[in-house]
Amino acid sequence: MIDLLEGLNEEQTEAVTTTEGFVRVIAGAGSGKTKALTHRYAYLVNELGISTANILCATYTNKAAKEMRNRIKTMIGDNDTGYICTFHSMGVYILREDIHYINYPSNFVVMDTEDTEAILKDVYEKANIDTSKLTFDMARKAIEAFKSKFKHIPYLSNLDNSELIEQYEKADTIQKKVIYGYLYEQKKNYGLDFDDLITVSLYILKSCEEKRLKWQERMMYVMVDEFQDVSGLNYEMAELLSGYHKNLFIVGDPDQTIYSWRGADVKFIMEFDNEYDDTKTIKLYKNYRSTPEILSAANSLIKNNKYRIPNDVVATKESSVITAYYHGKTTMDEAKWIADKIKLLVNNGVSYSNVAILYRSHFVSRSIEELFVREKLPYVLYSGIEFYKRKEIKDILSYLRMIVSGDDLSFVRVVNEPRRNIGKKRMEFLKTYAEKMNCTLYEALLDNIDNEPIVSTRAKDFVKVIEKYRIKYKDMRISDLITGVLHDSGYEAMLRTLGDDERLENISELKNSIFEFEKNSGEISTLEDYLQSIALYTNSDKEEKKEAVKLMTIHIAKGLEFPYVFVIGLNEGIFPTAHADTEEDIEEERRLAYVAYTRAENALFLTDSEGTNYDGSYRYPSRFIFNTAKEYLEFEVELDEALVRSAHTFIACNEEKMGIRNSNVLSKGDRVSHKVFGQGEIVDIQTENSVYIVQFDKLDTPRNLSFRAPLEKL
């Protein structure tokens, strides 16, 4: 026992030795929660004599589970560590023993993302479904929603497929067709996807008292790591498995809840003590990672959140440098300042690999990548694809290359983007013709534009765009050219139809790169020059090196730490994202900023720059810069007073609009009364505009009224 408790602080010791009942540990950033968890597990085994077969330690990722198992093996001297796993893995354990309850074999297939995508492709092909009407992402979300309510279980457990086939055949929407088609295909293979591992195991535990009691008696101690990230179904599983012995130990930090978009709900950790009256709460607040200066900035930021459990972390490291903030006039100014700082650090003996650049969205990396390639600074991109290798960027550059040269590579890439009914067979026809006539594929298309099999396609739309700009591109600004091509080709409209905001943001950033190219090149800039300059970035040697700056999104960086951290792109509309349109959303974005700040060990650098976002809005400095107490920031450039006033006005208007949206208390179909218009019915609600659409009894046409309108519900 002395060995296990040695090196723990008072709060960690309390967490380790409090073994019975409901225990909630609020573990601040860098406070040694993993140490507390692993020591508690070893304490249960070595000091209390609990078998590893009777302890569940649920972690959030397979990587975290593996690391925890390795640590615990060393402490308990036993390779058998029982159930140290993710919730999905726990679901597999339950199902391998008890899936026969739904008439599935124990050797069922666990389908990965490639398997599920293959099934979707098959379903779409058989039902002749156009992905422009229902994207794979939309289909996956529909299937997930269907399964979250356990609606799929009867179809999977029924030995007869006739009902499933009947539902598929009579489906009156594309969505239903996909759902039932997907279920049929997965059942045919006795497959379960990741969602099923949770939902099916939960269904068995809830439906069969005998099996539920078996697993409850087995799990004498249930421990859950990263509890701020659990979903409703994860929470239900933890609650069920601990229902007999009532020993549930949870660890997490509500200030680091950043995954609501994939089901996490901060209320589960926030209100845990309300769910269990005898909960004991322990706070780990001593930070072993960051300097006092970094933590002061982070604490001052997160205090702006209303819905939280106060737990300001305190540094145990010595003081260092104050957090630096830089505001650039352009994204390249911002990138140049970052590069210069990194060079200075390296000149002072810091390794490139000790530096991380974190951002909210993938597109923000563009200016950094460009400058690093130009100045030969080594970097590794850990999240997403390098900017100029992203599909939409390569597509648009291929359109520009078609206008200049009409090469075959560009043609193949974009002739059917958006879809113009030029599939494999027609492409083979064009290739055969081009080889025979010794011409390009585009020339082959022109020669056969009115002939079969091309005449029945929308190839003329493609030709119209290319020929229109071939005639006049040399007399146009490149920025005007790309705007015209995006519009006339239908490419931008396609992305908007799909609701693919991330790709739209990347397109907007490509436009910004063109603006910068034009500004730096002056009137002599040509499309040929621009495409040649881009080749520098697309063909750069990117072999991964150990000595390289790390570039990644903040979500990827969660759980990691770096000696020197740059948090970049701190602009309204980027961070916080423009999609954050409620107070709850903004609080999550602020938690994400807090996570970014607290990744830094020795020094933290914050940056932003001016410009425009993809929706046309101006890039003001983020409210998170203003939320961070100025006494904890060293301004490398003093912000212009007019800019500060404009930024505060923009943020205030934005927050006021959120307040209006949050005041929406009426629903579609409600009967209401207005002091002038009289009685009527709400026929629709536009939350994006904070508007009720009301059809009043005495008026022929509906009226759009703001959420502030004097409406009384009847």
mmCIF file of all heavy atoms in Angstrom, residues 71-104:
data_model
loop_
_atom_site.group_PDB
_atom_site.id
_atom_site.type_symbol
_atom_site.label_atom_id
_atom_site.label_comp_id
_atom_site.label_asym_id
_atom_site.label_seq_id
_atom_site.Cartn_x
_atom_site.Cartn_y
_atom_site.Cartn_z
ATOM 1 N N ARG A 71 0.312 0.202 -17.975
ATOM 2 C CA ARG A 71 0.695 0.757 -16.663
ATOM 3 C C ARG A 71 0.267 -0.172 -15.531
ATOM 4 O O ARG A 71 1.018 -0.412 -14.585
ATOM 5 C CB ARG A 71 0.039 2.131 -16.460
ATOM 6 C CG ARG A 71 0.629 3.253 -17.281
ATOM 7 C CD ARG A 71 0.248 4.574 -16.650
ATOM 8 N NE ARG A 71 0.414 5.709 -17.541
ATOM 9 C CZ ARG A 71 0.307 6.965 -17.162
ATOM 10 N NH1 ARG A 71 0.034 7.259 -15.903
ATOM 11 N NH2 ARG A 71 0.462 7.963 -18.019
ATOM 12 N N ILE A 72 -0.965 -0.667 -15.644
ATOM 13 C CA ILE A 72 -1.522 -1.482 -14.556
ATOM 14 C C ILE A 72 -0.820 -2.834 -14.453
ATOM 15 O O ILE A 72 -0.588 -3.351 -13.353
ATOM 16 C CB ILE A 72 -3.043 -1.646 -14.748
ATOM 17 C CG1 ILE A 72 -3.736 -0.300 -14.435
ATOM 18 C CG2 ILE A 72 -3.606 -2.742 -13.858
ATOM 19 C CD1 ILE A 72 -5.202 -0.243 -14.802
ATOM 20 N N LYS A 73 -0.448 -3.416 -15.606
ATOM 21 C CA LYS A 73 0.287 -4.687 -15.582
ATOM 22 C C LYS A 73 1.538 -4.575 -14.726
ATOM 23 O O LYS A 73 1.882 -5.480 -13.949
ATOM 24 C CB LYS A 73 0.682 -5.084 -17.011
ATOM 25 C CG LYS A 73 -0.429 -5.711 -17.823
ATOM 26 C CD LYS A 73 0.073 -6.024 -19.234
ATOM 27 C CE LYS A 73 -1.062 -6.501 -20.125
ATOM 28 N NZ LYS A 73 -0.593 -6.744 -21.518
ATOM 29 N N THR A 74 2.238 -3.454 -14.882
ATOM 30 C CA THR A 74 3.472 -3.231 -14.126
ATOM 31 C C THR A 74 3.197 -3.169 -12.634
ATOM 32 O O THR A 74 3.964 -3.704 -11.818
ATOM 33 C CB THR A 74 4.143 -1.913 -14.580
ATOM 34 O OG1 THR A 74 4.381 -1.971 -15.981
ATOM 35 C CG2 THR A 74 5.461 -1.703 -13.860
ATOM 36 N N MET A 75 2.081 -2.533 -12.270
ATOM 37 C CA MET A 75 1.782 -2.344 -10.848
ATOM 38 C C MET A 75 1.247 -3.590 -10.163
ATOM 39 O O MET A 75 1.529 -3.841 -8.996
ATOM 40 C CB MET A 75 0.790 -1.191 -10.679
ATOM 41 C CG MET A 75 1.407 0.176 -10.889
ATOM 42 S SD MET A 75 0.283 1.525 -10.426
ATOM 43 C CE MET A 75 -0.700 1.653 -11.894
ATOM 44 N N ILE A 76 0.449 -4.392 -10.882
ATOM 45 C CA ILE A 76 -0.160 -5.556 -10.227
ATOM 46 C C ILE A 76 0.606 -6.850 -10.511
ATOM 47 O O ILE A 76 0.318 -7.887 -9.904
ATOM 48 C CB ILE A 76 -1.642 -5.728 -10.632
ATOM 49 C CG1 ILE A 76 -1.770 -6.068 -12.121
ATOM 50 C CG2 ILE A 76 -2.443 -4.482 -10.288
ATOM 51 C CD1 ILE A 76 -3.209 -6.377 -12.552
ATOM 52 N N GLY A 77 1.573 -6.775 -11.462
ATOM 53 C CA GLY A 77 2.380 -7.953 -11.755
ATOM 54 C C GLY A 77 1.597 -9.093 -12.358
ATOM 55 O O GLY A 77 1.885 -10.262 -12.120
ATOM 56 N N ASP A 78 0.561 -8.761 -13.138
ATOM 57 C CA ASP A 78 -0.297 -9.790 -13.730
ATOM 58 C C ASP A 78 -0.690 -9.344 -15.135
ATOM 59 O O ASP A 78 -1.096 -8.201 -15.346
ATOM 60 C CB ASP A 78 -1.551 -9.974 -12.865
ATOM 61 C CG ASP A 78 -2.375 -11.187 -13.292
ATOM 62 O OD1 ASP A 78 -2.149 -11.709 -14.402
ATOM 63 O OD2 ASP A 78 -3.262 -11.598 -12.511
ATOM 64 N N ASN A 79 -0.562 -10.246 -16.093
ATOM 65 C CA ASN A 79 -0.932 -9.905 -17.463
ATOM 66 C C ASN A 79 -2.440 -9.861 -17.678
ATOM 67 O O ASN A 79 -2.924 -9.286 -18.645
ATOM 68 C CB ASN A 79 -0.320 -10.907 -18.454
ATOM 69 C CG ASN A 79 1.159 -10.647 -18.662
ATOM 70 O OD1 ASN A 79 1.612 -9.511 -18.578
ATOM 71 N ND2 ASN A 79 1.913 -11.709 -18.905
ATOM 72 N N ASP A 80 -3.193 -10.501 -16.793
ATOM 73 C CA ASP A 80 -4.647 -10.503 -16.914
ATOM 74 C C ASP A 80 -5.210 -9.242 -16.264
ATOM 75 O O ASP A 80 -5.276 -9.131 -15.049
ATOM 76 C CB ASP A 80 -5.229 -11.747 -16.237
ATOM 77 C CG ASP A 80 -6.754 -11.807 -16.379
ATOM 78 O OD1 ASP A 80 -7.310 -10.979 -17.140
ATOM 79 O OD2 ASP A 80 -7.370 -12.674 -15.740
ATOM 80 N N THR A 81 -5.600 -8.286 -17.102
ATOM 81 C CA THR A 81 -6.140 -7.022 -16.570
ATOM 82 C C THR A 81 -7.646 -6.912 -16.781
ATOM 83 O O THR A 81 -8.220 -5.825 -16.701
ATOM 84 C CB THR A 81 -5.440 -5.822 -17.231
ATOM 85 O OG1 THR A 81 -5.474 -5.975 -18.650
ATOM 86 C CG2 THR A 81 -4.000 -5.716 -16.775
ATOM 87 N N GLY A 82 -8.307 -8.018 -17.092
ATOM 88 C CA GLY A 82 -9.762 -8.033 -17.153
ATOM 89 C C GLY A 82 -10.346 -7.081 -18.179
ATOM 90 O O GLY A 82 -9.944 -7.052 -19.334
ATOM 91 N N TYR A 83 -11.269 -6.249 -17.705
ATOM 92 C CA TYR A 83 -12.046 -5.384 -18.598
ATOM 93 C C TYR A 83 -11.544 -3.944 -18.555
ATOM 94 O O TYR A 83 -12.188 -3.059 -17.994
ATOM 95 C CB TYR A 83 -13.522 -5.435 -18.217
ATOM 96 C CG TYR A 83 -14.126 -6.833 -18.260
ATOM 97 C CD1 TYR A 83 -14.246 -7.600 -17.092
ATOM 98 C CD2 TYR A 83 -14.563 -7.376 -19.458
ATOM 99 C CE1 TYR A 83 -14.793 -8.867 -17.130
ATOM 100 C CE2 TYR A 83 -15.111 -8.652 -19.505
ATOM 101 C CZ TYR A 83 -15.228 -9.393 -18.333
ATOM 102 O OH TYR A 83 -15.761 -10.652 -18.385
ATOM 103 N N ILE A 84 -10.375 -3.708 -19.102
ATOM 104 C CA ILE A 84 -9.897 -2.336 -19.318
ATOM 105 C C ILE A 84 -10.083 -2.080 -20.806
ATOM 106 O O ILE A 84 -9.310 -2.576 -21.634
ATOM 107 C CB ILE A 84 -8.425 -2.164 -18.909
ATOM 108 C CG1 ILE A 84 -8.229 -2.525 -17.438
ATOM 109 C CG2 ILE A 84 -7.962 -0.732 -19.161
ATOM 110 C CD1 ILE A 84 -6.784 -2.477 -16.974
ATOM 111 N N CYS A 85 -11.114 -1.356 -21.148
ATOM 112 C CA CYS A 85 -11.507 -1.301 -22.556
ATOM 113 C C CYS A 85 -12.425 -0.110 -22.829
ATOM 114 O O CYS A 85 -12.825 0.601 -21.906
ATOM 115 C CB CYS A 85 -12.240 -2.591 -22.931
ATOM 116 S SG CYS A 85 -13.693 -2.914 -21.891
ATOM 117 N N THR A 86 -12.766 0.090 -24.099
ATOM 118 C CA THR A 86 -13.748 1.112 -24.463
ATOM 119 C C THR A 86 -15.146 0.544 -24.233
ATOM 120 O O THR A 86 -15.330 -0.673 -24.042
ATOM 121 C CB THR A 86 -13.610 1.495 -25.941
ATOM 122 O OG1 THR A 86 -13.923 0.347 -26.743
ATOM 123 C CG2 THR A 86 -12.197 1.984 -26.264
ATOM 124 N N PHE A 87 -16.156 1.422 -24.290
ATOM 125 C CA PHE A 87 -17.536 0.951 -24.162
ATOM 126 C C PHE A 87 -17.881 -0.011 -25.303
ATOM 127 O O PHE A 87 -18.613 -0.988 -25.105
ATOM 128 C CB PHE A 87 -18.502 2.139 -24.163
ATOM 129 C CG PHE A 87 -18.611 2.823 -22.824
ATOM 130 C CD1 PHE A 87 -18.017 4.058 -22.608
ATOM 131 C CD2 PHE A 87 -19.304 2.227 -21.785
ATOM 132 C CE1 PHE A 87 -18.110 4.689 -21.379
ATOM 133 C CE2 PHE A 87 -19.408 2.848 -20.539
ATOM 134 C CZ PHE A 87 -18.814 4.078 -20.335
ATOM 135 N N HIS A 88 -17.368 0.267 -26.497
ATOM 136 C CA HIS A 88 -17.641 -0.614 -27.630
ATOM 137 C C HIS A 88 -17.040 -2.002 -27.400
ATOM 138 O O HIS A 88 -17.674 -3.016 -27.710
ATOM 139 C CB HIS A 88 -17.087 -0.005 -28.924
ATOM 140 C CG HIS A 88 -17.864 1.177 -29.401
ATOM 141 N ND1 HIS A 88 -17.544 2.464 -29.051
ATOM 142 C CD2 HIS A 88 -18.968 1.258 -30.189
ATOM 143 C CE1 HIS A 88 -18.411 3.297 -29.611
ATOM 144 N NE2 HIS A 88 -19.280 2.601 -30.300
ATOM 145 N N SER A 89 -15.830 -2.035 -26.849
ATOM 146 C CA SER A 89 -15.192 -3.328 -26.560
ATOM 147 C C SER A 89 -15.962 -4.079 -25.483
ATOM 148 O O SER A 89 -16.096 -5.305 -25.540
ATOM 149 C CB SER A 89 -13.741 -3.122 -26.117
ATOM 150 O OG SER A 89 -12.985 -2.552 -27.159
ATOM 151 N N MET A 90 -16.477 -3.327 -24.496
ATOM 152 C CA MET A 90 -17.293 -3.964 -23.455
ATOM 153 C C MET A 90 -18.546 -4.570 -24.082
ATOM 154 O O MET A 90 -18.985 -5.660 -23.699
ATOM 155 C CB MET A 90 -17.668 -2.940 -22.379
ATOM 156 C CG MET A 90 -18.364 -3.564 -21.167
ATOM 157 S SD MET A 90 -17.281 -4.757 -20.328
ATOM 158 C CE MET A 90 -18.485 -5.884 -19.619
ATOM 159 N N GLY A 91 -19.102 -3.848 -25.054
ATOM 160 C CA GLY A 91 -20.255 -4.387 -25.767
ATOM 161 C C GLY A 91 -19.926 -5.708 -26.440
ATOM 162 O O GLY A 91 -20.738 -6.645 -26.431
ATOM 163 N N VAL A 92 -18.731 -5.821 -27.017
ATOM 164 C CA VAL A 92 -18.308 -7.066 -27.673
ATOM 165 C C VAL A 92 -18.221 -8.195 -26.650
ATOM 166 O O VAL A 92 -18.676 -9.321 -26.911
ATOM 167 C CB VAL A 92 -16.958 -6.886 -28.395
ATOM 168 C CG1 VAL A 92 -16.429 -8.229 -28.902
ATOM 169 C CG2 VAL A 92 -17.099 -5.903 -29.546
ATOM 170 N N TYR A 93 -17.647 -7.902 -25.463
ATOM 171 C CA TYR A 93 -17.564 -8.925 -24.415
ATOM 172 C C TYR A 93 -18.950 -9.466 -24.070
ATOM 173 O O TYR A 93 -19.155 -10.677 -23.947
ATOM 174 C CB TYR A 93 -16.928 -8.345 -23.150
ATOM 175 C CG TYR A 93 -15.428 -8.163 -23.217
ATOM 176 C CD1 TYR A 93 -14.850 -6.920 -22.957
ATOM 177 C CD2 TYR A 93 -14.584 -9.225 -23.514
ATOM 178 C CE1 TYR A 93 -13.475 -6.739 -23.005
ATOM 179 C CE2 TYR A 93 -13.202 -9.056 -23.559
ATOM 180 C CZ TYR A 93 -12.656 -7.807 -23.308
ATOM 181 O OH TYR A 93 -11.301 -7.639 -23.363
ATOM 182 N N ILE A 94 -19.903 -8.561 -23.902
ATOM 183 C CA ILE A 94 -21.272 -8.960 -23.548
ATOM 184 C C ILE A 94 -21.892 -9.780 -24.675
ATOM 185 O O ILE A 94 -22.504 -10.833 -24.446
ATOM 186 C CB ILE A 94 -22.139 -7.716 -23.244
ATOM 187 C CG1 ILE A 94 -21.633 -7.013 -21.986
ATOM 188 C CG2 ILE A 94 -23.612 -8.089 -23.103
ATOM 189 C CD1 ILE A 94 -22.261 -5.645 -21.736
ATOM 190 N N LEU A 95 -21.702 -9.329 -25.903
ATOM 191 C CA LEU A 95 -22.342 -9.982 -27.045
ATOM 192 C C LEU A 95 -21.736 -11.343 -27.358
ATOM 193 O O LEU A 95 -22.446 -12.262 -27.784
ATOM 194 C CB LEU A 95 -22.268 -9.067 -28.269
ATOM 195 C CG LEU A 95 -23.065 -7.756 -28.140
ATOM 196 C CD1 LEU A 95 -22.790 -6.839 -29.324
ATOM 197 C CD2 LEU A 95 -24.560 -8.038 -28.026
ATOM 198 N N ARG A 96 -20.438 -11.507 -27.171
ATOM 199 C CA ARG A 96 -19.822 -12.808 -27.431
ATOM 200 C C ARG A 96 -20.442 -13.890 -26.528
ATOM 201 O O ARG A 96 -20.531 -15.050 -26.908
ATOM 202 C CB ARG A 96 -18.314 -12.749 -27.201
ATOM 203 C CG ARG A 96 -17.532 -11.931 -28.225
ATOM 204 C CD ARG A 96 -17.576 -12.503 -29.614
ATOM 205 N NE ARG A 96 -16.774 -11.708 -30.566
ATOM 206 C CZ ARG A 96 -16.997 -11.650 -31.848
ATOM 207 N NH1 ARG A 96 -18.002 -12.332 -32.374
ATOM 208 N NH2 ARG A 96 -16.234 -10.912 -32.643
ATOM 209 N N GLU A 97 -20.869 -13.491 -25.350
ATOM 210 C CA GLU A 97 -21.493 -14.447 -24.424
ATOM 211 C C GLU A 97 -22.993 -14.584 -24.645
ATOM 212 O O GLU A 97 -23.547 -15.676 -24.521
ATOM 213 C CB GLU A 97 -21.241 -14.019 -22.967
ATOM 214 C CG GLU A 97 -19.831 -14.248 -22.487
ATOM 215 C CD GLU A 97 -19.698 -14.074 -20.969
ATOM 216 O OE1 GLU A 97 -20.696 -14.326 -20.256
ATOM 217 O OE2 GLU A 97 -18.607 -13.692 -20.511
ATOM 218 N N ASP A 98 -23.654 -13.463 -24.995
ATOM 219 C CA ASP A 98 -25.116 -13.471 -24.908
ATOM 220 C C ASP A 98 -25.874 -13.032 -26.146
ATOM 221 O O ASP A 98 -27.086 -12.827 -26.088
ATOM 222 C CB ASP A 98 -25.546 -12.576 -23.728
ATOM 223 C CG ASP A 98 -25.110 -13.146 -22.393
ATOM 224 O OD1 ASP A 98 -25.232 -14.366 -22.214
ATOM 225 O OD2 ASP A 98 -24.625 -12.369 -21.546
ATOM 226 N N ILE A 99 -25.216 -12.903 -27.290
ATOM 227 C CA ILE A 99 -25.918 -12.416 -28.474
ATOM 228 C C ILE A 99 -26.943 -13.426 -29.004
ATOM 229 O O ILE A 99 -27.841 -13.073 -29.776
ATOM 230 C CB ILE A 99 -24.926 -12.024 -29.587
ATOM 231 C CG1 ILE A 99 -25.624 -11.111 -30.612
ATOM 232 C CG2 ILE A 99 -24.322 -13.256 -30.244
ATOM 233 C CD1 ILE A 99 -24.701 -10.459 -31.602
ATOM 234 N N HIS A 100 -26.825 -14.674 -28.579
ATOM 235 C CA HIS A 100 -27.825 -15.672 -28.994
ATOM 236 C C HIS A 100 -29.231 -15.251 -28.571
ATOM 237 O O HIS A 100 -30.226 -15.739 -29.120
ATOM 238 C CB HIS A 100 -27.485 -17.047 -28.406
ATOM 239 C CG HIS A 100 -27.369 -17.054 -26.909
ATOM 240 N ND1 HIS A 100 -28.468 -17.176 -26.082
ATOM 241 C CD2 HIS A 100 -26.292 -16.928 -26.101
ATOM 242 C CE1 HIS A 100 -28.069 -17.145 -24.816
ATOM 243 N NE2 HIS A 100 -26.752 -16.992 -24.792
ATOM 244 N N TYR A 101 -29.314 -14.324 -27.609
ATOM 245 C CA TYR A 101 -30.619 -13.824 -27.154
ATOM 246 C C TYR A 101 -31.388 -13.179 -28.306
ATOM 247 O O TYR A 101 -32.625 -13.179 -28.313
ATOM 248 C CB TYR A 101 -30.416 -12.814 -26.011
ATOM 249 C CG TYR A 101 -31.696 -12.308 -25.398
ATOM 250 C CD1 TYR A 101 -32.444 -13.115 -24.531
ATOM 251 C CD2 TYR A 101 -32.166 -11.034 -25.688
ATOM 252 C CE1 TYR A 101 -33.618 -12.650 -23.971
ATOM 253 C CE2 TYR A 101 -33.344 -10.558 -25.129
ATOM 254 C CZ TYR A 101 -34.064 -11.367 -24.276
ATOM 255 O OH TYR A 101 -35.246 -10.914 -23.717
ATOM 256 N N ILE A 102 -30.676 -12.612 -29.299
ATOM 257 C CA ILE A 102 -31.366 -12.030 -30.464
ATOM 258 C C ILE A 102 -31.158 -12.907 -31.711
ATOM 259 O O ILE A 102 -31.260 -12.429 -32.835
ATOM 260 C CB ILE A 102 -30.914 -10.578 -30.742
ATOM 261 C CG1 ILE A 102 -29.443 -10.534 -31.194
ATOM 262 C CG2 ILE A 102 -31.159 -9.671 -29.563
ATOM 263 C CD1 ILE A 102 -29.075 -9.265 -31.942
ATOM 264 N N ASN A 103 -30.871 -14.188 -31.472
ATOM 265 C CA ASN A 103 -30.751 -15.164 -32.567
ATOM 266 C C ASN A 103 -29.584 -14.880 -33.515
ATOM 267 O O ASN A 103 -29.654 -15.185 -34.705
ATOM 268 C CB ASN A 103 -32.059 -15.239 -33.369
ATOM 269 C CG ASN A 103 -33.229 -15.681 -32.516
ATOM 270 O OD1 ASN A 103 -33.136 -16.641 -31.753
ATOM 271 N ND2 ASN A 103 -34.341 -14.964 -32.620
ATOM 272 N N TYR A 104 -28.528 -14.321 -32.998
ATOM 273 C CA TYR A 104 -27.288 -14.109 -33.761
ATOM 274 C C TYR A 104 -26.243 -15.099 -33.259
ATOM 275 O O TYR A 104 -26.237 -15.466 -32.069
ATOM 276 C CB TYR A 104 -26.770 -12.692 -33.534
ATOM 277 C CG TYR A 104 -26.940 -11.724 -34.684
ATOM 278 C CD1 TYR A 104 -28.196 -11.454 -35.212
ATOM 279 C CD2 TYR A 104 -25.848 -11.072 -35.237
ATOM 280 C CE1 TYR A 104 -28.354 -10.553 -36.249
ATOM 281 C CE2 TYR A 104 -25.988 -10.163 -36.279
ATOM 282 C CZ TYR A 104 -27.247 -9.910 -36.780
ATOM 283 O OH TYR A 104 -27.394 -9.013 -37.809
#
